[in-house]
Structure formats: structure tokens, C-alpha cells
Amino acid sequence: MAQLKILVYPDERLRQISQPVKGVDNKIVSFISDLEETLSSLLGCVGIAAPQVGLFVRIIIVDVSSRPKHKNHGHLVLINPVITFNEGNSIGREGCLSVPEYTGRVSRSQYIEVKAQDRFGSDVVYQMEGYEARAIQHEIDHLDGKLFFDSLVGKRNILKKRTDF
Amino acid sequence: MGNWYMLTMVGKDRPGIVAEVSQVLFEAGGNLGEASMARLGGNFTVMLMLQIDAEKDDVENLLQPLGEKLALFFHIDKIIGDLYHHVEPNFRLSVHGADQPGIVSMVASSLAKLKFNILNLESDVGGSPEKPIYIMHIEGVADCSLSSLEKSLQPLINEKGIVMHLVSIDTMLG
């Protein structure tokens, strides 16, 4: 087990597209443990993606259970996650480990369905909404080399309905 | 790297102001920090953090010709350039209703009693000249509950007939 170093923008590697995981071998199992330890060491952080620590494979961890007022599925390790359905729109504030000292409002889908493999390589599917769905979308963006401030919403959007802060 | 100043500029809006101001500052070796520009009632307004190896008088002399050319009022204050210490808002309040005197004052006073620190305030006047509407968004930080804020604002909603929408901001960090 080890805590991994977080890549910080403008490190160009954060723009790299991560590769699918072909199988859950010992190396992947050990990496997931390290990624979990790294996430749990970061106060207030609810998600992390493999490329944020410099390994460009399609693995994310999301755990919103520390914010019980938001519906959530607990501790999720998702390998090769794909969003297979999305609906609705919500604007909420996001920050990123890889972009210190900056938060901004980002538009995301309110409802999503995500298909992936779990840490054992078994297929899983989740329907989720709101804050947890936001976290998943933020982390999957990392796998595609995107950062939250690529999709910021301007400050002065008068009378636009806002949900899910 | 020089002193930090807050440069405030106000004038009639037209295209190219930001370009001209920033070019003059750049050519003089200035470094820009955080800024907020808005068109308020047809006026160009900006508050701009400027770091420059010069005294206040020198900065004023630098900007004087540009101020005259673009018909801009400007004002410079020496400040502490405290970057990289952002305070995260934990509440957002949206207010709208028929424009009338006292909305901001009453809302802000209620918030101040709960030691609510306003970090951002934006307001607009919309509607028509005959029936103006006032729209305001406030983001800020307070060490109290959503319900205590709602309770303190409720009398205003009743008295002023305005609509308020208060939400907690739960920043997603990932």
C-alpha cells in the first residue's frame, strides 16, 4: 500500500486519454489499493481517477457516503466505466485535486446509468443521480483527458434554475 | 515582483477597453491577478489586481493617457495580493421580485446578523421600465444551518413579496 502523488494542472499528462483495462491482474489489484489509500488520505475528496496519479488506465473510485444527504451507492471502484444513459441537467460546484485553489460551477447530467466492471472484473450497472452522478461524470472526464474547467458555466446566468449545489 | 494594486476603472462601454488597458499594463511589466469585469447599466466596470514594480504615482501616470483616451475614470489602491487562499461559499441565495427600495439592505442585514460573509453578489434590473424586476444572487459562507438562514429571511419574503431561493453549496471535490 502506498499513497500516490497527484498530478497537478498544467501537467500535460492530465490531457492524456486512458486505456481500457484488459483484465484484473495482481498489478491492477495492487494499484486499486494504492488509489484507495490515496483517496482516503485526501480530506473532503469523494473521487479519484487513475490518470490523476499518472497511471493512464480506465479506473475510477467514487465514494460519496461521507455526504449521506446525497443518494449514493457507497464505495465504488469502477473499471472501464461507460455512461450508457443520461438525462436532465444540473449545475453544481466542483473542485479537483489536480486543480488546487479553484472551484467553479459545472453543468452535468442529473441522471445517469453507468456500466463498468467492479474490482473483481464482474460487470456492474448503476443508476444514479445528483451529486454522485456528478462525481462519476467528473472522474470519467479525467479518463478522457478532460478537466472540470473545460465545461464551466459563467457566473452571470440570471434566472437560470439551479439544482444540486 | 513588485507591489500589488487594485485598479478600478469605470466608463462608457465600448469594444476594446480590456485589450487596450491590458496591453499598456503588460508593456509596462505588469502582471494581472484576479479580476472582475461587468457591464453595469451600460457602463464598463472592472476591478483588476495588478502587480507591478512601480509606486502608485507611477501607475497613475502610466494610466493617465489611456484614461483620457478612453474616457475612463480610474482609481488605484495599494493592496495585499493574497492569492491562493480562496474561501469556498457554502450557501447560495437567489432573490427576485418587483424592484423596490431596500431589498439589498434588508437581505444583507439579515445575513449579517448570522455572520454570513458575502463572497459574491451579482444583481441585475430586468423587466420593463414600467415594471422593473430586481434579480440578485449572493454566494457566501456562514457557520449556521440552512434552516436558521431561511428562518431569518422569512419575514422579508412576507413583507416585500419577493421570491427567495436558498440552497447549500456542497462542492464536489474529485
Side-chain angles (χ1 to χ4, degrees):
Chain A
M1 296 275 280
Q3 281 180 26
L4 307 167
K5 192 169 179 289
I6 304 286
L7 301 186
V8 173
Y9 185 82
D11 192 317
E12 276 302 311
R13 288 174 291 173
L14 288 165
R15 296 301 191 181
Q16 206 166 311
I17 300 201
S18 293
Q19 296 305 306
V21 176
K22 296 211 174 81
V24 183
D25 55 18
N26 286 341
K27 210 172 135 193
I28 292 290
V29 169
S30 161
F31 171 70
I32 289 171
S33 296
D34 289 346
L35 198 59
E36 285 176 317
E37 189 181 334
T38 307
L39 175 61
S40 63
S41 72
L42 298 160
L43 195 68
C45 192
V46 298
I48 194 166
Q52 287 183 281
V53 296
L55 193 69
F56 301 93
V57 295
R58 302 187 80 83
I59 299 175
I60 64 171
I61 302 175
V62 165
D63 188 342
V64 180
S65 60
S66 60
R67 307 280 206 300
K69 74 170 185 179
H70 300 291
K71 273 191 203 170
N72 70 83
H73 294 82
H75 183 82
L76 297 174
V77 176
L78 301 181
I79 299 172
N80 302 326
V82 178
I83 292 173
T84 48
F85 171 82
N86 65 304
E87 190 176 74
N89 183 265
S90 84
I91 294 172
R93 188 172 285 268
E94 297 182 19
C96 183
L97 297 169
S98 300
V99 186
E101 277 303 319
Y102 185 75
T103 64
R105 297 190 312 119
V106 183
S107 177
R108 301 283 187 190
S109 297
Q110 174 68 7
Y111 302 95
I112 60 167
E113 178 182 82
V114 59
K115 287 186 178 167
Q117 288 94 52
D118 66 12
R119 64 196 311 150
F120 309 108
S122 305
D123 290 337
V124 287
V125 54
Y126 296 99
Q127 281 92 30
M128 48 181 71
E129 63 181 274
Y131 193 88
E132 188 181 42
R134 171 173 301 281
I136 294 280
Q137 291 168 82
H138 178 114
E139 301 310 335
I140 290 179
D141 270 359
H142 278 300
L143 305 182
D144 294 323
K146 290 187 208 156
L147 296 169
F148 77 100
F149 53 28
D150 294 328
S151 38
L152 286 178
V153 176
K155 275 189 173 180
R156 297 181 77 88
N157 274 5
I158 303 308
L159 287 184
K160 187 168 166 57
K161 190 176 178 210
R162 295 171 170 87
T163 53
D164 183 35
F165 281 90
Chain B
M1 280 295 284
N3 301 318
W4 277 105
Y5 297 96
M6 188 64 77
L7 168 62
T8 308
M9 302 187 103
V10 177
K12 189 173 183 304
D13 194 27
R14 67 163 186 76
I17 299 177
V18 176
E20 293 211 39
V21 171
S22 55
Q23 191 182 348
V24 166
L25 297 174
F26 172 65
E27 285 171 357
N31 172 41
L32 305 186
E34 298 181 2
S36 174
M37 192 220 106
R39 185 182 152 102
L40 302 177
N43 300 286
F44 167 84
T45 71
V46 69
M47 297 195 79
L48 185 61
M49 283 178 69
L50 166 68
Q51 187 182 35
I52 192 163
D53 192 8
E55 293 307 312
K56 188 178 161 185
D57 290 352
D58 302 328
V59 183
E60 279 170 351
N61 292 337
L62 175 71
L63 289 167
Q64 194 64 44
L66 193 66
E68 282 168 18
K69 180 183 164 199
L70 300 174
L72 290 174
F73 295 109
F74 68 89
H75 179 83
I76 297 162
D77 293 297
K78 200 166 181 180
I79 56 160
I80 294 168
D82 185 19
L83 297 169
Y84 318 113
H85 294 106
H86 290 120
V87 177
E88 278 300 306
N90 62 346
F91 292 108
R92 180 178 179 89
L93 173 67
S94 301
V95 176
H96 64 94
D99 195 15
Q100 57 196 294
I103 297 178
V104 181
S105 155
M106 291 176 79
V107 169
S109 302
S110 295
L111 295 176
K113 279 181 196 147
L114 289 167
K115 298 196 171 9
F116 184 107
N117 186 12
I118 296 176
L119 301 172
N120 281 309
L121 187 155
E122 296 161 358
S123 71
D124 285 78
V125 178
S128 64
E130 299 75 34
K131 287 192 174 176
I133 54 169
Y134 189 76
I135 307 112
M136 175 167 68
H137 295 291
I138 289 175
E139 285 183 345
V141 62
D143 186 18
C144 64
S145 67
L146 183 75
S147 58
S148 60
L149 277 171
E150 278 171 338
K151 203 174 151 194
S152 77
L153 293 166
Q154 191 57 48
L156 303 183
I157 296 173
N158 300 341
E159 189 182 325
K160 291 274 177 187
I162 50 182
V163 178
M164 285 200 213
H165 183 55
L166 180 70
V167 288
S168 2
I169 300 176
D170 202 349
T171 301
M172 197 290 295
L173 185 61

